Amino acid sequence: MTATRSDQTAPCFGYCRDCRTTHRVPSGEAPAHAHSLMREFEEIRRLDYRVPDDQADPKLGFDQLFPGDRGHMFGVLECRDDHGSTVVLRAFSSLRGGIRDIDGWVPPILSADSYYGIVLPGTEEIQRATRELESLAAKTPNASSLRRERTRLSQDLWRDMQSLYRFENFRGENRSLKDAFAHRPEGKQTIPAGVGECCAPKLLNHAARNALTPIGIAEFYWGAVDSSSTRKPGDFYSCCESRCQPILGFLLCGLNGV
Ligand SMILES: [Zn+2]
Ligand SMILES: [Zn+2]
């Protein structure tokens, strides 16, 4: 089945191979919750909102996180819990510098064990090879073999990561990134880097793991005017096509009535 016009305008959707249909979440009241979050951002200008000013971590202040023309994507997911109460989850798309968990925000999809045990050491090894390469003359035999070694390290790490990322959906099914990613028949058969690091998958995965039913979602950009693209602070954006849509079909599966 092809996507209908309403699928195109829903903020969050993806084609599910199992049901052969497109699952989606509407905006609901999420934009209003997002506007409250923006007001909080304007006021406190940092992400560790649950601690008082004098305990704030300078690394989580907007001045350090988003200097110059930098900005970032944020998301809110409006949910219902088992008792019918509204729960609003918030997420930031993944930050640099190893910032993963901040109290009051949904956790990353990649577990701490996987990150600190495999992904971080693997990334550091690749970075070491890159630094070493920069210090060698480009055409020496040493440089060629180091370049091949770095490529192998990257490919190995990426293959591991595709198994280490685990997604859960609203049917209680659990799949690795490799198995959850729905390739388009006409599309490239490679999975892009960064899948699972945007707000929508983090929010939905957390909701599914905690028996929360999503009823509305909003993702917005915040920070400086993005010089490299057309994103504007405070504007809302749909789930991204390359990294999110191919896994959202699986992630949203089992979510009835939306
Ligand atoms: Zn995305
Ligand atoms: Zn489905």
Side-chain angles (χ1 to χ4, degrees):
M1 192 188 287
T2 53
T4 63
R5 184 181 291 274
S6 65
D7 295 332
Q8 314 287 346
T9 54
C12 178
F13 58 91
Y15 180 76
C16 174
R17 278 175 308 193
D18 300 346
C19 304
R20 298 188 178 198
T21 188
T22 297
H23 300 311
R24 68 188 80 90
V25 185
S27 300
E29 299 301 316
H33 294 296
H35 281 297
S36 319
L37 184 54
M38 293 180 213
R39 282 195 295 276
E40 177 193 302
F41 283 173
E42 276 168 350
E43 204 179 309
I44 70 169
R45 299 189 48 78
R46 57 189 172 87
L47 296 184
D48 49 353
Y49 66 100
R50 285 199 170 159
V51 301
D53 273 344
D54 58 352
Q55 289 168 32
D57 181 347
K59 282 205 303 291
L60 303 179
F62 287 1
D63 295 342
Q64 286 209 23
L65 284 172
F66 316 125
D69 64 353
R70 298 256 299 277
H72 213 70
M73 288 298 293
F74 294 89
V76 290
L77 188 67
E78 180 196 15
C79 304
R80 290 262 186 276
D81 69 11
D82 283 348
H83 310 289
S85 305
T86 301
V87 176
V88 179
L89 302 176
R90 47 164 83 182
F92 47 83
S93 64
S94 290
L95 292 160
R96 293 166 200 214
I99 297 169
R100 283 171 45 87
D101 269 305
I102 304 173
D103 188 27
W105 298 82
V106 299
I109 290 172
L110 190 68
S111 73
D113 282 354
S114 299
Y115 178 73
Y116 291 109
I118 299 168
V119 175
L120 185 60
T123 308
E124 285 170 348
E125 212 178 338
I126 294 163
Q127 285 166 347
R128 251 195 314 275
T130 303
R131 279 196 302 274
E132 216 177 309
L133 262 176
E134 283 163 1
S135 68
L136 290 173
K139 293 215 168 100
T140 60
N142 273 357
S144 310
S145 73
L146 189 56
R147 210 172 285 117
R148 277 198 300 277
E149 171 70 3
R150 187 181 58 171
T151 304
R152 191 188 59 77
L153 287 170
S154 304
Q155 286 168 345
D156 287 356
L157 178 62
W158 182 224
R159 199 196 49 234
D160 288 348
M161 283 169 75
Q162 290 180 32
S163 307
L164 293 170
Y165 275 79
R166 305 291 312 185
F167 298 101
E168 190 159 326
N169 69 13
F170 296 93
R171 281 215 258 226
E173 290 172 321
N174 195 299
R175 281 185 196 167
S176 67
L177 163 53
K178 189 168 186 285
D179 295 333
F181 195 92
H183 295 286
R184 274 166 301 177
E186 75 285 5
K188 288 191 301 188
Q189 292 303 298
T190 54
I191 299 177
V195 177
E197 298 294 345
C198 291
C199 298
K202 285 174 146 184
L203 289 164
L204 292 165
N205 203 54
H206 187 76
R209 286 179 178 171
N210 290 277
L212 297 168
T213 304
I215 49 177
I217 191 167
E219 289 180 87
F220 65 95
Y221 179 82
W222 192 256
V225 177
D226 186 348
S227 60
S228 61
S229 76
T230 55
R231 286 184 294 191
K232 287 208 290 288
D235 275 4
F236 292 103
Y237 296 90
S238 297
C239 58
C240 70
E241 191 180 347
S242 61
R243 295 191 294 265
C244 288
Q245 288 174 25
I247 53 167
L248 285 171
F250 172 74
L251 271 164
L252 292 170
C253 195
L255 192 59
N256 296 317
V258 294

